[in-house]
């Protein structure tokens, strides 16, 4: 038994003074301060927040993409996540066009088995929606604990699904209770703009963003929402939403009671097309991701923070898809379209969103809700995870509001040769991390191990109706 004593427990319902008793892998009880047992190992949380371990519902460890592979393995990536207060990830297993869905899934189980430091689940990317893939969706939901499927309206020739394929997958999801996750960007139109830009000699990284205007995110978001409506209001979750006009589509759908949800990511809340993607020379490649960073001269960041407050944005995930500059991002020198798409932030999401609390953009409760509780409820992990309550897994973070976090490539644990957040300082710090009752990180000392993390079979979303 262990008792986390003296802290302020923050669930999505708000803060309360309480001590948390852990019995082996789960939470046994919450006590009024000082009322818990006295003869057990204690963790002193005086002056600190005690929150549910964070859940990153969107990661791509060692994902083959853009002619290379994301640089974090499941070992390095889940270790970095743990150090940053994330105790569960949901990664994307991939079915490529022409591949059997279950074979793609088996490949992800093989990559993760014995290598993860924290618990993990999978969503399934469907790269080729056909009769077999549709049947496989049923099997994954019924037998494999995989209850969400990502489709792409972008990346023609890679992961792209046309509207007919999307509709069929949505109809299937409506029947079996799965969630459709959508990469909502109009890929064929983007490809035209990319070709035209390259023909004009516009090859720098900033043109990655300029050729992916927010209208093409908003159009795809709107189309996905209409298609989900045709599929009898299939549950739809828009991933990595970056821009005001796309958010307007989601908000309008939600205002009419639709089963539509969206996530954003820290990079869209803080970083911009001009300041990062537009950095001199090839530097901007560090921030090439899709959807792209948006203009600081428009209201995207303020609108996204507001969307988080109003629940038009339900979740903050990282879309962690790291690539090194050397040999990876560098593949796009002279042609931005060859820069592998992705940013690595899995270690920093808890801190970066806590800065939103310090800046009075989010309440403490909403911080916890967007990084832990709603991801758990959205993706069938609740109440096992995402909440500090009796019976839940003892995935717990002790967070020190008096601490300070300085982000740098010199000190981060992700397998990247740069940091997208170099020099950022946050007014708070992860102090102690427990995964299923085991202290895996404490006071800057990492004590976890590869193989501790287990695959978690997920149920259906709590938000289904
Ligand atoms: O740039 C990104 N987002 N890379 C990862 C793949 C995806 O679309 O999520
Ligand atoms: Zn995507
Ligand atoms: Zn992604």
């Amino acid at each position: 038994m262990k008792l986390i004593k003296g802290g302020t427990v923050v669930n999505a319902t708000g803060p309360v003074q309480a001590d948390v008793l852990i019995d082996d892998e789960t939470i046994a009880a919450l006590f009024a301060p000082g009322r818990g047992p006295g003869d057990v190992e204690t963790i002193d949380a005086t002056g600190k927040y005690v929150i549910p371990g964070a859940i990153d519902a969107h990661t791509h460890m060692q994902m083959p993409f853009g002619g290379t592979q994301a640089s974090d393995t499941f070992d390095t990536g889940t270790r970095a996540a743990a150090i940053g207060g994330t105790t569960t990830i949901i990664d994307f297993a991939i079915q490529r066009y022409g591949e059997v869905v279950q074979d793609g899934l088996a490949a992800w189980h093989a990559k993760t088995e014995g290598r993860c430091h924290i618990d993990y689940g999978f969503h399934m990317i469907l790269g080729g929606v056909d009769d077999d893939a549709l049947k496989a969706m049923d099997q994954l939901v019924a037998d494999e604990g995989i209850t969400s499927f990502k489709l792409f309206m972008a990346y023609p020739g890679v992961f792209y699904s046309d509207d007919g394929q999307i509709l069929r997958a949505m109809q299937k999801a409506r029947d079996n209770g799965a969630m459709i996750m959508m990469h909502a960007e109009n890929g064929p139109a983007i490809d035209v703009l990319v070709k035209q830009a390259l023909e004009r000699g516009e090859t720098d990284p900033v043109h990655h963003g300029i050729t992916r205007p927010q209208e093409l995110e908003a159009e795809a978001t709107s189309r996905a929402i209409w298609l989900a409506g045709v599929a009898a209001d299939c549950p739809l979750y828009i991933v990595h939403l970056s821009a005001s006009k796309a958010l307007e589509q989601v908000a309008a759908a939600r205002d009419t009671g639709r089963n539509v949800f969206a996530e954003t990511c820290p990079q869209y809340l803080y970083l911009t097309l001009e300041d990062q993607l537009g950095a001199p020379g090839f530097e901007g490649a560090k921030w090439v991701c899709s959807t792209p960073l948006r203009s600081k001269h428009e209201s995207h960041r303020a609108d996204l923070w507001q969307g988080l407050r109003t629940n038009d944005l339900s979740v903050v995930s990282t879309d962690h898809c790291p690539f090194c500059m050397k040999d990876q991002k560098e593949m796009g020198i002279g042609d931005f379209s060859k820069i592998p798409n992705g940013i690595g932030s899995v270690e920093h999401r808890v801190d970066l969103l806590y800065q939103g609390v310090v800046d009075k953009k989010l309440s403490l409760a909403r911080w916890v809700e967007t990084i832990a509780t709603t991801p758990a409820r959205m993706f069938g992990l609740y109440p096992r995870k995402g909440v500090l309550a009796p019976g839940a897994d003892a995935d717990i973070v002790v967070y020190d509001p008096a601490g300070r976090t300085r982000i740098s490539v010199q000190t981060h644990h992700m397998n990247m040769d740069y940091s997208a957040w170099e020099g950022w300082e946050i007014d708070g710090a992860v102090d102690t991390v427990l995964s299923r009752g085991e202290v895996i990180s404490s006071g800057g000392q990492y004590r976890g191990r590869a193989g501790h993390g287990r695959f978690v079979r997920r149920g259906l979303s709590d938000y289904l109706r």
Side-chain angles (χ1 to χ4, degrees):
M1 294 255 208
K2 290 184 188 81
L3 188 68
I4 304 181
K5 238 181 135 178
T8 303
V9 168
V10 187
N11 273 313
T13 44
V16 62
Q17 297 300 309
D19 298 343
V20 183
L21 183 67
I22 299 163
D23 184 6
D24 195 19
E25 296 200 343
T26 57
I27 295 172
L30 267 64
F31 290 95
R35 297 289 184 84
D39 53 351
V40 295
E41 180 190 340
T42 58
I43 296 171
D44 183 10
T46 306
K48 298 179 182 137
Y49 298 124
V50 183
I51 67 170
I55 299 170
D56 194 336
H58 190 153
T59 69
H60 302 280
M61 305 301 174
Q62 57 196 89
M63 178 198 194
F65 194 43
T68 181
Q69 173 163 303
S71 58
D72 263 320
T73 63
F74 280 93
D75 181 351
T76 63
T78 58
R79 183 174 183 274
I83 291 167
T86 288
T87 53
T88 307
I89 61 164
I90 313 179
D91 202 83
F92 287 82
I94 298 179
Q95 175 235 9
R96 295 184 170 280
Y97 180 73
E99 190 180 31
V100 174
V101 172
Q102 285 87 349
D103 290 349
L105 174 59
W108 251 255
H109 277 299
K111 287 180 205 225
T112 49
E113 193 61 48
R115 295 191 176 92
C116 291
H117 292 245
I118 52 173
D119 288 353
Y120 60 97
F122 297 140
H123 313 284
M124 192 83 215
I125 286 176
L126 296 179
V129 177
D130 58 15
D131 290 346
D132 289 339
L134 292 169
K135 266 193 224 124
M137 286 174 74
D138 282 339
Q139 197 261 325
L140 263 56
V141 171
D143 306 331
E144 306 287 351
I146 291 168
T147 53
S148 41
F149 297 86
K150 183 176 178 190
L151 302 174
F152 288 78
M153 301 168 105
Y155 305 135
V158 186
F159 293 128
Y160 175 78
S161 290
D162 66 29
D163 291 350
Q165 291 173 307
I166 289 169
L167 181 61
R168 293 185 78 201
M170 285 176 164
Q171 289 169 332
K172 176 57 78 181
R174 179 73 273 185
D175 285 348
N176 66 24
M179 177 76 77
I180 293 294
M181 306 173 78
M182 190 62 74
H183 181 129
E185 285 187 298
N186 185 325
I190 287 167
D191 279 5
V192 170
L193 297 181
V194 168
K195 186 165 176 289
Q196 291 169 348
L198 291 173
E199 282 166 0
R200 288 192 297 269
E202 294 164 358
T203 61
D204 285 347
V206 73
H207 295 286
H208 171 79
I210 294 169
T211 56
R212 305 179 95 90
Q214 69 155 332
E215 286 75 8
L216 296 184
E217 184 181 354
E219 182 277 329
T221 302
S222 163
R223 185 157 35 99
I225 291 168
W226 284 113
L227 288 168
V230 172
D233 205 14
C234 151
L236 173 67
Y237 178 96
I238 305 291
V239 295
H240 48 55
L241 189 147
S242 70
S244 304
K245 286 184 196 296
L247 180 58
E248 280 170 23
Q249 308 305 311
V250 170
R254 291 176 60 77
D255 286 350
T256 59
R258 291 288 309 280
N259 242 346
V260 173
F261 310 93
E263 71 176 12
T264 192
C265 312
Q267 53 268 34
Y268 307 118
L269 292 166
Y270 289 109
L271 310 180
T272 66
L273 182 132
E274 291 83 4
D275 291 338
Q276 277 80 29
L277 198 52
F282 191 65
E283 182 85 358
K286 292 175 176 172
W287 296 278
V288 164
C289 60
S290 298
T291 52
L293 302 184
R294 298 299 178 186
S295 174
K296 68 177 179 185
H297 302 302
E298 297 164 343
S299 61
H300 305 289
R301 288 174 296 168
D303 292 344
L304 296 180
W305 281 110
Q306 179 174 304
L308 280 178
R309 282 197 298 280
T310 60
N311 205 32
D312 286 329
L313 293 169
S314 308
V315 170
V316 180
S317 309
T318 54
D319 192 9
H320 179 76
C321 191
F323 297 100
C324 291
M325 283 297 266
K326 185 163 165 25
D327 297 338
Q328 294 199 299
K329 294 280 186 182
E330 280 175 357
M331 291 160 67
I333 292 176
D335 179 349
F336 68 85
S337 71
K338 296 202 164 60
I339 302 170
N341 286 203
I343 288 187
S345 303
V346 77
E347 190 170 343
H348 305 312
R349 183 181 57 125
V350 172
D351 290 318
L352 288 167
L353 268 289
Y354 182 71
Q355 188 61 43
V357 177
V358 174
D359 296 343
K360 305 223 178 311
K361 289 177 168 146
L362 290 183
S363 67
L364 276 174
R366 192 70 186 141
W367 171 50
V368 167
E369 193 166 33
T370 54
I371 62 172
T373 311
T374 302
R377 299 191 65 194
M378 189 69 69
F379 294 112
L381 291 167
Y382 190 91
R384 182 169 165 192
K385 298 193 185 284
V387 63
L388 298 182
D393 282 354
D395 292 354
I396 303 176
V397 174
V398 179
Y399 197 84
D400 184 2
R404 193 149 177 85
T405 303
R406 291 178 187 81
I407 303 181
S408 170
V409 64
Q410 307 298 334
T411 47
H412 76 196
H413 301 84
M414 301 175 289
N415 185 34
M416 295 174 73
D417 63 1
Y418 75 96
S419 172
W421 303 93
E422 188 66 42
W424 280 63
E425 299 207 5
I426 286 126
D427 295 317
V430 173
D431 178 277
T432 301
V433 181
L434 292 91
S435 166
R436 278 183 279 103
E438 260 186 50
V439 176
I440 57 171
S441 183
S442 181
Q445 289 295 335
Y446 188 67
R447 306 203 231 148
R449 61 183 166 80
H452 166 82
R454 290 187 198 138
F455 176 69
V456 189
R457 303 168 93 82
R458 295 182 292 112
L460 298 182
S461 173
D462 279 12
Y463 294 104
L464 265 181
R465 60 164 178 75

